[in-house]
Amino acid sequence: MAQVIHRGKGRHLVRVFLGRDPATGRRKYHNKTIRGTKKQAETYGRKIQHQVDTGTFREPASQTVTEFLDWWFENTARRRVHAETLQEYRAIARRHLEPTLGEIPLGQITPAHVQQLVTAMEAKKLSPRTIRNAHGLLRNALSRAVREGTIPANPAAAKLVDLPKARRRELTVLSRTEAAAFVKAAKGERWGPLFVLLLGSGMRPGEALGLTWPDFDGSRVRIRRALVRARDGSGTWRLREPKTPNSRRTVPLPKFAITALHEHRRRQAEEKLRAGPDYEDRGLIFSDERGAPANWWRLTKYEFRYILEEAGLSSKVIRAYDLRHTCASLLLSAGVNPKVVSERLGHSTVTLTLDTYSSVLPGLQEDATEKLGAMLT
């Protein structure tokens, strides 16, 4: 039971028994002076006592930033994000946070320390996005320490740190003519249907690679999962839930994408016959000659570039992922309601869609102005 000891006007000492030191046998306590009312001190005492009883308490004085991050990854982040995202978080902490802040006691970290981190990353010529991602991870982790009462305030709060200005990446997309040439060049290529589907549906590559044949009803695809690979280079993969609830969706396909999938299905059936018992059928729409999931890195480095060359677009600086952006841009330019485009892409909000494709909006505004003028003239 936590003790609350009055120490003067507006000051109370909270003492919680932690057990005995294994080496000396001495009793150990957590002591904290609370500036406020007795009720506030009692509330803090109950919280710490509960943490001690459940084995989740960490003594601030003896816990470094690195130790706290390890605890946060296991007890908070693991419950909120996918395993691959957690692995990425750990890599960010190991690469950027721990070298500068890792040995500082958690209770002693200040905004000046966090600013030092940002300055050190800028000195390494890291991108604003990388710096802001590292800062965001630290801020989120320390917000848990604030809720736990381990630290009084978050030293990584955005208003306390000067961050580099975020640079919006200019979207590179195919024009209507270029997209048509790309679809034509992809026809007959082994992996052409995958890229045609990305262009015709706007789905994410991982969502396309996670599709199985039951997800395709002849005119639409149901997106229920995404294929992800481990970032440790082991080659392991798994199917997981999509990024957001809105990512679970059904997308109608244009005729050129439907035709490409039907041709791909016939080709895959022939590959199964040739492979015989060596083919491990997982039901995936996009698999290699033995049934294993497609290797996205290899496809984008070789097959995608080849199709661009065949389409006369070899000089175009564009990624395979930009086929998703091309789909959205073409639809918005054609006057399709942004709400419809947002649902097709699986965005969480229409605002995200409009922010992402803001470069398309000026032309849409001009078109809308002309239409309004024609109606009222």
Side-chain angles (χ1 to χ4, degrees), residues 10 58 79 88 90 101 107 132 134 193 292 310 322 341 348:
R58 296 294 182 274
R79 296 192 179 102
E88 185 175 345
R90 290 185 183 276
L101 306 177
R132 295 177 77 91
E310 290 295 300
D322 292 327
V341 177
S348 56

Side-chain angles (χ1 to χ4, degrees), residues 350-372:
V350 179
T351 302
L352 174 59
T353 306
L354 295 176
D355 286 346
T356 304
Y357 302 101
S358 57
S359 59
V360 184
L361 299 182
L364 299 183
Q365 292 289 359
E366 294 172 3
D367 183 57
T369 301
E370 292 178 3
K371 290 180 179 178
L372 180 61

Side-chain angles (χ1 to χ4, degrees), residues 171-183 195 199 304 307-308 311-314 316-320 322-331 333:
L171 293 180
T172 304
V173 298
L174 299 176
S175 67
R176 180 178 178 180
T177 303
E178 291 171 336
F182 182 87
V183 171
F195 299 116
L199 179 58
F304 177 67
I307 295 175
L308 285 178
L313 302 172
S314 57
K316 190 83 172 181
V317 181
I318 189 170
R319 308 168 304 166
D322 292 327
L323 296 175
R324 168 177 165 84
H325 297 320
T326 296
C327 175
S329 297
L330 291 178
L331 291 175
S333 299

Side-chain angles (χ1 to χ4, degrees), residues 148-192:
E148 294 288 330
T150 306
I151 55 178
N154 193 334
K159 62 182 180 181
L160 301 177
V161 183
D162 294 326
L163 295 171
K165 187 176 181 180
R167 293 198 298 262
R168 181 183 293 273
R169 179 183 176 273
E170 289 294 328
L171 293 180
T172 304
V173 298
L174 299 176
S175 67
R176 180 178 178 180
T177 303
E178 291 171 336
F182 182 87
V183 171
K184 183 177 180 180
K187 184 177 177 62
E189 296 298 326
R190 171 65 175 80
W191 294 105

Side-chain angles (χ1 to χ4, degrees), residues 234-254:
S234 63
T236 57
W237 60 275
R238 69 184 181 91
L239 297 176
R240 76 175 188 194
E241 292 293 309
K243 292 181 65 175
T244 66
N246 286 355
S247 295
R248 297 175 63 89
R249 62 201 188 278
T250 298
V251 179
L253 299 178

